[in-house]
Amino acid sequence: MKQLDYLTLKAIFARFAELNPEPKGELHHTNAFTLLVAVALSAQSTDVGVNKATAKLFPIADTPAKMLALGEEALTEHIKTIGLYRNKAKNVIKLSQRLIDDFGGEVPSSRAALKSLPGVGRKTANVVLNMWFGQPTQAVDTHILRLANRTGICPGKDELAIERAIEDHIPAEYQKHAHHWLILHGRYICTARKPRCGICPIREFCLFEDKDENL
């Protein structure tokens, strides 16, 4: 897939910014710790499913210490409706202990430190750095992987290549919110099976050849 040029990308993200100036992630959280846990739980699960599971969890376990006091067994009961819940529960307990032991109970603001925590990979770290600490990091999920190549916005063979393409090609003034705009566009407009080209706000810029204007 051909990479769209700079001026086209600028027009695309100006359109996104006009329609949604302050895009927000859809995982419910109250602080950096609950955000970190929510993102870690969201792997291979939907945001809606995670929000349902954490609705009763976070009011009683919104710090590493409270999570440890709750314990793995009780945590497992709270999150058993989401995928891979047993392994995720183990990791949340372990990362809570690591936060207390190594970071004074605070969520660190560096990618390397975040990735050192059990169950936290690059994507999770990038989400936390972006949403809580305001860093222009790019968390590439399946939605972005799909539309990045379909549209020509930032094509790449894998998540890391697309992350770098976003950083290299999308204008700097749009970097902070770029991954949120792309995730929301992929989730609700540029969907996997039937992209909704008829209501797409950037359809005139998109390189996708099989547009269906009636959708």
Side-chain angles (χ1 to χ4, degrees), residues 88-103:
K88 290 176 180 178
K90 291 180 185 297
N91 282 333
V92 169
I93 293 299
K94 288 178 181 177
L95 74 81
S96 297
Q97 188 67 61
R98 284 285 306 281
L99 287 173
I100 290 173
D101 292 344
D102 298 343
F103 301 100

Side-chain angles (χ1 to χ4, degrees), residues 44 83 115 133-134 161 166 199:
Q44 300 183 41
K115 287 178 64 181
F133 295 104
I166 294 173
I199 63 169

Side-chain angles (χ1 to χ4, degrees), residues 39-199:
V39 179
L41 294 178
S42 71
Q44 300 183 41
S45 303
T46 66
D47 288 1
V48 172
V50 172
N51 289 338
K52 288 181 179 179
T54 59
K56 294 182 179 179
L57 171 64
F58 288 160
I60 61 173
D62 61 353
T63 69
K66 291 179 182 178
M67 190 65 74
L68 289 175
L70 180 66
E72 184 178 327
E73 185 176 345
L75 171 58
T76 301
E77 283 298 307
H78 277 282
I79 66 171
K80 65 183 180 181
T81 56
I82 66 176
L84 306 175
Y85 67 95
R86 292 189 187 279
N87 190 54
K88 290 176 180 178
K90 291 180 185 297
N91 282 333
V92 169
I93 293 299
K94 288 178 181 177
L95 74 81
S96 297
Q97 188 67 61
R98 284 285 306 281
L99 287 173
I100 290 173
D101 292 344
D102 298 343
F103 301 100
E106 300 294 326
V107 175
S109 59
S110 81
R111 183 187 287 124
L114 286 166
K115 287 178 64 181
S116 75
L117 299 171
V120 177
R122 186 181 183 90
K123 183 172 72 173
T124 295
N126 282 350
V127 173
V128 173
L129 292 174
N130 181 276
M131 289 181 63
W132 193 259
F133 295 104
Q135 298 182 24
T137 50
Q138 309 303 329
V140 178
D141 71 350
T142 54
H143 296 299
I144 297 180
L145 183 64
R146 176 181 65 254
L147 76 87
N149 286 292
R150 176 187 278 170
T151 62
I153 289 176
C154 43
K157 63 181 180 178
D158 55 31
E159 288 88 348
L160 185 57
I162 290 173
E163 180 184 333
R164 289 174 174 167
I166 294 173
E167 293 172 346
D168 290 345
H169 297 288
I170 291 175
E173 62 265 36
Y174 300 117
Q175 290 278 334
K176 181 179 177 180
H177 295 312
H179 94 271
H180 275 129
W181 283 318
L182 293 172
I183 287 172
L184 294 171
H185 190 67
R187 184 172 291 167
Y188 298 111
I189 304 294
C190 196
T191 53
R193 294 186 179 181
K194 291 184 177 181
R196 305 172 69 191
C197 303
I199 63 169

Side-chain angles (χ1 to χ4, degrees), residues 195-208:
R196 305 172 69 191
C197 303
I199 63 169
C200 177
I202 62 166
R203 61 184 177 271
E204 70 264 39
F205 307 115
C206 175
L207 298 179
F208 185 48

